[in-house]
Amino acid sequence: DQQVKQNSPSLSVQEGRISILNCDYTNSMFDYFLWYKKYPAEGPTFLISISSIKDKNEDGRFTVFLNKSAKHLSLHIVPSQPGDSAVYFCAARDSQGNLIFGKGTKLSVKP
Amino acid sequence: DTGVSQDPRHKITKRGQNVTFRCDPISEHNRLYWYRQTLGQGPEFLTYFQNEAQLEKSRLLSDRFSAERPKGSFSTLEIQRTEQGDSAMYLCASSLEEVRNTEAFFGQGTRLTVV
């Protein structure tokens, strides 16, 4: 059973608009969450993270929101740019310090 | 340091052959992970090392798979008697575990194709 779920396999957004990528998790013991971005034929690149003691973390155009009671986090990208087109993975750190990944959401930002 | 390095980038092998991949982590990182990613899936945890000690193995890591990190620096992942189902991207990542909430940095991966 998947502990980290990204229920939208794909998302298409117009350039300049907001992209919202969602992620749900089942294990309340997860205490650190990360978003990675992946281009084809490359490894995932770290984007932004959030500790479970916070509900928001912002870095430039990227903001991650955490709702612990709902076991839900989201990544907001605003404004979206064509270069943001990639697969975005949500990940959670377990008690061993390992990262558990979702299946990813493919974001397409159209000019 | 240029980040996590994996070699080779691509490997095509015949079914039944053995293959070995290498990962060089970021030099000061004491934790090293191996993940596998197949099409449409996120990276799936295989195993990790804290320095030279292999501390955890996923049930995905069958007896045909073995990983080593002999000096606590680079690591190798060997797959014996490869099967077509082993075709995937094998990703290595490293992190500095003294800093609890820190990201893992990934290499570019080794794409394995078993024919």
Side-chain angles (χ1 to χ4, degrees), chain A residues 93-99, chain B residues 31 33 45 48 50 55-56 97 100:
Chain A
R93 186 181 289 273
D94 69 11
S95 59
Q96 302 295 322
N98 299 320
L99 297 180
Chain B
R31 187 170 276 205
Y33 309 82
F45 170 76
Y48 85 90
Q50 180 88 1
L55 296 186
E56 188 178 346
E97 207 51 27
R100 167 71 185 165

Short mmCIF file of all heavy atoms in Angstrom, two decimals, chain A residues 93-99, chain B residues 31 33 45 48 50 55-56 97 100:
data_model
loop_
_atom_site.label_atom_id
_atom_site.label_comp_id
_atom_site.label_asym_id
_atom_site.label_seq_id
_atom_site.Cartn_x
_atom_site.Cartn_y
_atom_site.Cartn_z
N ARG A 93 10.01 11.63 4.63
CA ARG A 93 11.10 10.94 5.31
C ARG A 93 10.52 10.06 6.42
O ARG A 93 9.76 10.55 7.27
CB ARG A 93 12.07 11.95 5.91
CG ARG A 93 13.32 11.33 6.52
CD ARG A 93 14.21 12.41 7.10
NE ARG A 93 14.84 13.20 6.05
CZ ARG A 93 15.99 12.90 5.46
NH1 ARG A 93 16.64 11.80 5.79
NH2 ARG A 93 16.50 13.67 4.54
N ASP A 94 10.91 8.77 6.41
CA ASP A 94 10.39 7.88 7.46
C ASP A 94 11.32 7.88 8.67
O ASP A 94 12.30 8.62 8.72
CB ASP A 94 10.18 6.47 6.89
CG ASP A 94 11.48 5.75 6.55
OD1 ASP A 94 12.57 6.23 6.93
OD2 ASP A 94 11.41 4.70 5.88
N SER A 95 10.98 7.05 9.65
CA SER A 95 11.72 7.06 10.91
C SER A 95 13.18 6.62 10.75
O SER A 95 14.01 6.92 11.60
CB SER A 95 11.02 6.16 11.93
OG SER A 95 10.94 4.84 11.42
N GLN A 96 13.49 5.91 9.67
CA GLN A 96 14.86 5.48 9.40
C GLN A 96 15.65 6.56 8.65
O GLN A 96 16.84 6.42 8.43
CB GLN A 96 14.86 4.21 8.54
CG GLN A 96 14.12 3.05 9.16
CD GLN A 96 14.79 2.57 10.43
OE1 GLN A 96 16.02 2.55 10.52
NE2 GLN A 96 14.00 2.24 11.43
N GLY A 97 14.95 7.61 8.25
CA GLY A 97 15.61 8.65 7.47
C GLY A 97 15.56 8.41 5.97
O GLY A 97 16.14 9.16 5.20
N ASN A 98 14.85 7.36 5.56
CA ASN A 98 14.74 7.09 4.12
C ASN A 98 13.58 7.87 3.51
O ASN A 98 12.62 8.21 4.20
CB ASN A 98 14.52 5.60 3.88
CG ASN A 98 15.67 4.78 4.39
OD1 ASN A 98 16.83 5.16 4.24
ND2 ASN A 98 15.36 3.66 5.02
N LEU A 99 13.69 8.11 2.23
CA LEU A 99 12.66 8.87 1.54
C LEU A 99 11.69 7.92 0.84
O LEU A 99 12.11 7.02 0.13
CB LEU A 99 13.29 9.81 0.50
CG LEU A 99 14.21 10.90 1.06
CD1 LEU A 99 14.77 11.75 -0.07
CD2 LEU A 99 13.45 11.79 2.04
N ARG B 31 25.72 9.11 4.43
CA ARG B 31 24.63 8.20 4.10
C ARG B 31 24.51 8.10 2.57
O ARG B 31 24.54 9.11 1.87
CB ARG B 31 23.32 8.66 4.72
CG ARG B 31 22.21 7.64 4.53
CD ARG B 31 20.98 7.95 5.33
NE ARG B 31 21.10 7.45 6.70
CZ ARG B 31 20.06 7.14 7.46
NH1 ARG B 31 18.84 7.31 7.01
NH2 ARG B 31 20.23 6.71 8.68
N TYR B 33 22.19 6.02 -0.54
CA TYR B 33 20.99 5.26 -0.84
C TYR B 33 21.03 4.74 -2.28
O TYR B 33 21.58 5.40 -3.16
CB TYR B 33 19.74 6.16 -0.75
CG TYR B 33 19.58 6.97 0.49
CD1 TYR B 33 20.24 8.18 0.68
CD2 TYR B 33 18.68 6.57 1.49
CE1 TYR B 33 20.06 8.95 1.80
CE2 TYR B 33 18.48 7.34 2.62
CZ TYR B 33 19.17 8.52 2.77
OH TYR B 33 18.97 9.28 3.89
N PHE B 45 12.78 2.66 -2.87
CA PHE B 45 13.94 2.42 -2.03
C PHE B 45 14.43 0.98 -2.16
O PHE B 45 13.64 0.03 -2.10
CB PHE B 45 13.58 2.73 -0.57
CG PHE B 45 14.60 2.30 0.42
CD1 PHE B 45 15.77 3.02 0.59
CD2 PHE B 45 14.41 1.17 1.21
CE1 PHE B 45 16.72 2.63 1.52
CE2 PHE B 45 15.34 0.77 2.13
CZ PHE B 45 16.51 1.50 2.29
N TYR B 48 20.24 1.24 1.95
CA TYR B 48 21.05 2.38 2.27
C TYR B 48 22.20 2.00 3.18
O TYR B 48 22.17 0.98 3.88
CB TYR B 48 20.23 3.53 2.86
CG TYR B 48 19.97 3.48 4.35
CD1 TYR B 48 20.84 4.08 5.26
CD2 TYR B 48 18.82 2.89 4.84
CE1 TYR B 48 20.59 4.07 6.61
CE2 TYR B 48 18.56 2.87 6.20
CZ TYR B 48 19.44 3.46 7.08
OH TYR B 48 19.18 3.45 8.43
N GLN B 50 25.03 3.64 6.05
CA GLN B 50 25.51 4.69 6.93
C GLN B 50 27.01 4.42 7.05
O GLN B 50 27.42 3.42 7.65
CB GLN B 50 24.83 4.60 8.30
CG GLN B 50 25.28 5.66 9.27
CD GLN B 50 24.47 6.93 9.16
OE1 GLN B 50 23.54 7.03 8.35
NE2 GLN B 50 24.81 7.92 9.97
N LEU B 55 22.51 -0.72 6.39
CA LEU B 55 21.60 -0.74 7.53
C LEU B 55 20.21 -1.24 7.21
O LEU B 55 19.48 -1.65 8.11
CB LEU B 55 21.53 0.65 8.18
CG LEU B 55 22.84 1.15 8.79
CD1 LEU B 55 22.61 2.46 9.53
CD2 LEU B 55 23.45 0.11 9.73
N GLU B 56 19.81 -1.13 5.97
CA GLU B 56 18.45 -1.55 5.65
C GLU B 56 18.39 -1.99 4.20
O GLU B 56 19.05 -1.44 3.34
CB GLU B 56 17.46 -0.40 5.88
CG GLU B 56 16.00 -0.83 5.75
CD GLU B 56 15.02 0.31 6.05
OE1 GLU B 56 15.45 1.33 6.61
OE2 GLU B 56 13.83 0.15 5.71
N GLU B 97 23.88 12.80 7.33
CA GLU B 97 22.87 12.40 8.30
C GLU B 97 22.99 13.08 9.65
O GLU B 97 22.10 12.99 10.47
CB GLU B 97 22.88 10.88 8.46
CG GLU B 97 21.53 10.33 8.88
CD GLU B 97 20.37 10.81 8.00
OE1 GLU B 97 20.59 11.12 6.82
OE2 GLU B 97 19.23 10.89 8.50
N ARG B 100 19.59 16.27 10.56
CA ARG B 100 18.42 15.40 10.45
C ARG B 100 17.53 15.78 9.27
O ARG B 100 17.20 14.98 8.42
CB ARG B 100 17.62 15.47 11.76
CG ARG B 100 16.23 14.87 11.68
CD ARG B 100 16.24 13.38 11.56
NE ARG B 100 14.88 12.86 11.37
CZ ARG B 100 14.59 11.65 10.96
NH1 ARG B 100 15.56 10.83 10.67
NH2 ARG B 100 13.35 11.26 10.82
#
